[in-house]
Amino acid sequence: MPTPHPEFVYLDGQIVPWDDAKLHVFSPAVKYGAGVFEGIRGYWNEDENQMYVFRVAEHLARLRYSQIMMRFDRIFEPQDVETPMLELIRRNGHRATIHIRPTVFVDGYQESAATGPIGMFITSFERPASSYLQTGCSVQVSSWQRLSDRAMPVRVKANANYNNSRYAGIQARVDGYDTAIMLNDRGQVSEGPGMCLFIVRGGRPLTPSVTSDILESITRDTVIEILDADFGLSTTEREIGRSELYAAEEAFFCGTAWEVTPITSIDGLAVGDGQVGPITKRLQDRYFDIVHGRVADDRGWLTPVY
Ligand code: PMP
């Protein structure tokens, strides 16, 4: 059964019916993946009858950076994206957790190095939490290497970068795992196909540093902040060797889509006792309270929609 889609999409200045949101097959966006995007979540708060979008400013700052790195002829500033994004959510009338995807792309029928004309579309889609949140997931250390910053800028959330993630993610599933962890070109732990990684060793959280060829994740930043300010646990950001993964007491992924997802096994070896770890569980609960606006938004991370 096809997934039900929302009624409207934002495309180049207009909110249009889903079926009318079309790009030409010959556009560099289609031919070469010449585009950059953001994945942002909105959380429905039932008691307040309100939708809160999480860390809009940080996502749109990253989208701006991505556009500059792509040398686009036209740059969509945060406000140029935020206004239609909030309008689209209202028009689609979402009252559930959603995933929002603003994409800035090269349109027209130019060659691969074209830097314009530039278009923008935004989609908003209901996206319920994954069952892995409760059960944890099984992970394969991938034989596919994470992109090197010398080959494709890893901090740019470019559509084309995701072919790298696809190879690793699909291979993991074919081999019977839920998803993958990729190592970088120096053989150190990098990240998952669309999410960052934390491990806990000796009661201390560790995560690959921003020079480990990761996307500079906004959820990673959120998790570091919550662990520190709310739990008094300071995270060490450093290179992590592959064999450290098998010594971890706890491990979890984090990301906008993956939220805080426990990892219960790596390459068939149980992480800790193979159950969701206590720090992971506590962090998950706190994360969901914060993103849903069930606790005071002291950090100014939430944007109300309605
Ligand atoms: N790494 C990659 C490759 C990603 O695609 C994502 C999702 N944007 C993340 C990490 C997590 O980033 P964020 O927390 O900003 O969503």
Side-chain angles (χ1 to χ4, degrees), residues 59 62 157 162 191 193-196 215 217-219 254-256:
H59 281 284
R62 188 169 67 188
K157 204 166 159 59
Y162 286 82
E191 61 176 3
M195 59 286 197
C196 282
L215 181 76
S217 152
I218 292 156
T219 319
C254 76
T256 297

